[in-house]
Amino acid sequence: MVLDNLGDSLKRTIKKIANAVHVDATLVKEIVRDIQRALLQSDVNVKLVLELSKKIEQRALEEKPPAGMTNREHVIHIVYDELVHIIGASRELAIRKQVIMMVGLYGQGKTTSCGKLATYFKRKGLRPVLIAGDVHRPAAYEQLQQISEQVEVPFYGDKSEKNAVRVIKDGLDKFKRVADVIIVDTSGRHKLEDDLITEMKDIFKTIKPDEKLLVMDAAMGQQAGPQAKAFNDAIGITGIVLTKLDGTAKGGGALSAAAEVGAPIVFVGTGEHSTDFEKFDPSGFISRLLGMGDIKSLLERAEESMKGKDAEKTARKLMSGKFNLNDMYEQMNMISGMGPLSKIAEMLPGGMSGKLKNVDMDETQGKLKRFRIILDSMTNQERENPDCIQASRIRRIAKGAGVENKDVKEVLKYYNMTKRMMKGFSSDRKMRRNLMRQLDFGK
Ligand SMILES: Nc1nc2c(ncn2[C@@H]2O[C@H](COP(=O)(O)OP(=O)(O)O)[C@@H](O)[C@H]2O)c(=O)[nH]1
Ligand SMILES: [Mg+2]
């Protein structure tokens, strides 16, 4: 997960509060010190850290918990609240027809993020296209072309044309009628220099993009702030994409500093793959960092890949432990549309992701495909009532799926294991209650 060290320290702090016998001034001072240390190590600005810790201390000591909330819960909530506060407001890109332009310095992740954005909009059911507006870097054209093939979206570029405005204009003419979201890659420089600003402004004038997204590497830490500000002052940006959050200990600094600029962080990049990209939501981000489980964003991703199917119903069934092979089939379809299993496990509440750690994620991912073929060879009745699948049925199913008996048994074993795991999880009353509350399922 991103910001491992910061997350680990904060989780330890939360545990300390949860396990405390008394929530008193000594404890509050101790946890404030812990949080200070964790944030400073993550490169968050000293002044910001001091302000935040003063606020947490003051609120924890003075505010009375609201009815129904224990002192411990209250203090945890304050920590959460104040951390969300420092990374500020969020904004979502609209899901509609638009032109998006990516800007930023060299090597920050613009071209990679073009592919990630295209994937994001494709999953939302829109038709994205990519235009290669970086006419200066020799391999920029090939890089974007390759990415467009990987994520399977149309691409336009002109290797012989050195005028960015002309290339982009031609691309727009070509795609205007067939595309929903036109994503334009542009070239960067090593520094924010006059010729880069002039080129950007020329492009804006001609194509009038709906979004101007600044792409920045999180490894810059606090330096992300001044850079974002300089870009914003020079060309006006509508949002920030913070990349490489997976590879840096300075992410806390980058996030908080970028948030202060006034342009909202809209996405974060968490790896090199086209799905290593998350819509940035401060409260979800912090609750995951604190280990509170980002059920909201998990459900949202599930919803996207299930396209209208009832994600809530599935989640409820999963938690109740009452699920059959049809549900498992649906769950597998849902999971394979969400990205790697290890990523999904991170989004589940602590106890549950711990249980999932015993499962070999890569192997499981590889099996999903075979499992689905086997499930397809079963009758609906068998899927509804897996207990009826005995030796002769196993032989028939294996034959139908073109696999061996042991492969069918493996599916049943996996099903039983999952069911046990879900049952175990749902019998954890406290966790279940919290989860239900977060899911808003009512009483
Ligand atoms: N680990 C990681 N690497 C990234 C991420 N985004 C981009 N990269 C890598 O950063 C390098 C530069 O990216 P590129 O898109 O070419 O940057 P550009 O010069 O701004 O277009 C490439 O090697 C990318 O694979 C990210 O979120 N995580
Ligand atoms: Mg590039």
Side-chain angles (χ1 to χ4, degrees), residues 2 102-114 116 134 137 140 143 147 185-189 215-218 241-248 268-273 276-277:
V2 297
M102 311 295 268
V103 300
L105 301 183
Y106 263 159
Q108 306 281 300
K110 288 182 296 298
T111 307
T112 313
S113 299
C114 285
K116 292 176 173 183
D134 181 355
R137 213 179 197 183
Q143 190 193 358
I147 287 177
D185 191 18
T186 66
S187 46
R189 300 284 192 279
V215 181
M216 280 199 310
D217 183 342
V241 177
L242 205 54
T243 61
K244 310 188 205 181
L245 210 58
D246 52 309
T248 176
V268 293
T270 57
E272 300 198 29
H273 195 261
D276 296 332
F277 197 54

Side-chain angles (χ1 to χ4, degrees), residues 78-288:
I78 291 171
V79 171
Y80 160 82
D81 217 32
E82 292 300 329
L83 284 171
V84 172
H85 194 72
I86 63 166
I87 52 171
S90 67
R91 193 190 139 225
E92 265 186 60
L93 289 197
I95 304 299
R96 58 145 195 255
K97 244 176 123 90
Q98 59 190 310
V99 177
I100 300 177
M101 199 169 133
M102 311 295 268
V103 300
L105 301 183
Y106 263 159
Q108 306 281 300
K110 288 182 296 298
T111 307
T112 313
S113 299
C114 285
K116 292 176 173 183
L117 257 187
T119 306
Y120 171 79
F121 282 110
K122 213 169 132 180
R123 285 187 167 186
K124 296 281 184 194
L126 295 181
R127 286 164 306 178
V129 295
L130 297 173
I131 296 179
D134 181 355
V135 292
H136 302 303
R137 213 179 197 183
Y141 174 96
E142 280 86 0
Q143 190 193 358
L144 192 69
Q145 188 182 37
Q146 228 171 45
I147 287 177
S148 77
E149 280 164 17
Q150 269 163 24
V151 304
E152 297 177 339
V153 303
F155 162 85
Y156 178 81
D158 182 351
K159 253 165 101 165
S160 57
E161 178 58 72
K162 290 295 162 216
N163 181 325
V165 174
R166 210 167 297 150
V167 175
I168 297 170
K169 217 164 160 282
D170 289 348
L172 285 182
D173 286 343
K174 179 177 170 197
F175 285 135
K176 224 167 25 207
R177 252 170 252 105
V178 295
D180 296 318
V181 183
I182 301 180
I183 301 165
V184 183
D185 191 18
T186 66
S187 46
R189 300 284 192 279
H190 290 296
K191 281 205 305 252
L192 186 60
E193 290 158 342
D194 289 346
D195 53 347
L196 176 63
I197 299 175
T198 311
E199 182 175 289
M200 295 293 134
K201 284 187 172 161
D202 277 351
I203 298 176
F204 297 161
K205 240 190 300 181
T206 323
I207 72 171
K208 301 190 177 56
D210 301 284
E211 297 283 353
K212 292 176 268 182
L213 301 185
L214 174 64
V215 181
M216 280 199 310
D217 183 342
M220 272 188 300
Q222 284 179 48
Q223 282 313 306
Q227 193 181 109
K229 189 170 178 313
F231 263 98
N232 201 18
D233 292 348
I235 55 175
I237 51 178
T238 58
I240 296 174
V241 177
L242 205 54
T243 61
K244 310 188 205 181
L245 210 58
D246 52 309
T248 176
K250 290 184 169 183
L255 278 169
S256 54
E260 276 193 309
V261 172
I265 300 170
V266 283
F267 285 98
V268 293
T270 57
E272 300 198 29
H273 195 261
S274 67
T275 52
D276 296 332
F277 197 54
E278 291 170 22
K279 203 161 70 184
F280 186 66
D281 158 37
S283 52
F285 189 82
I286 293 295
S287 67
R288 223 182 313 161

Side-chain angles (χ1 to χ4, degrees), residues 16 42 55 87 107 154 159 176 192 245 352 417 429:
K16 206 183 257 182
S42 172
K55 266 270 207 36
I87 52 171
K159 253 165 101 165
K176 224 167 25 207
L192 186 60
L245 210 58
M352 194 169 176
M417 184 185 81
R429 264 185 51 231

Side-chain angles (χ1 to χ4, degrees), residues 363 367 370-371 374 378 389-399 401-416:
E363 204 187 313
K367 278 178 190 160
R370 183 153 38 95
F371 279 18
I374 294 171
M378 295 177 181
I389 307 176
Q390 302 298 346
S392 67
R393 287 185 192 259
I394 288 178
R395 275 195 299 278
R396 195 211 75 236
I397 295 164
K399 217 162 153 200
V403 298
E404 294 183 40
N405 292 353
K406 69 170 173 41
D407 296 320
V408 178
K409 284 181 192 153
E410 195 185 4
V411 172
L412 297 172
K413 209 171 115 192
Y414 174 80
Y415 161 70
N416 283 317

Side-chain angles (χ1 to χ4, degrees), residues 291-307:
M292 290 156 95
D294 191 353
I295 285 295
K296 237 166 72 190
S297 96
L298 179 69
L299 269 190
E300 191 181 76
R301 277 225 233 174
E303 231 154 4
E304 265 169 35
S305 58
M306 285 175 78
K307 284 200 190 74

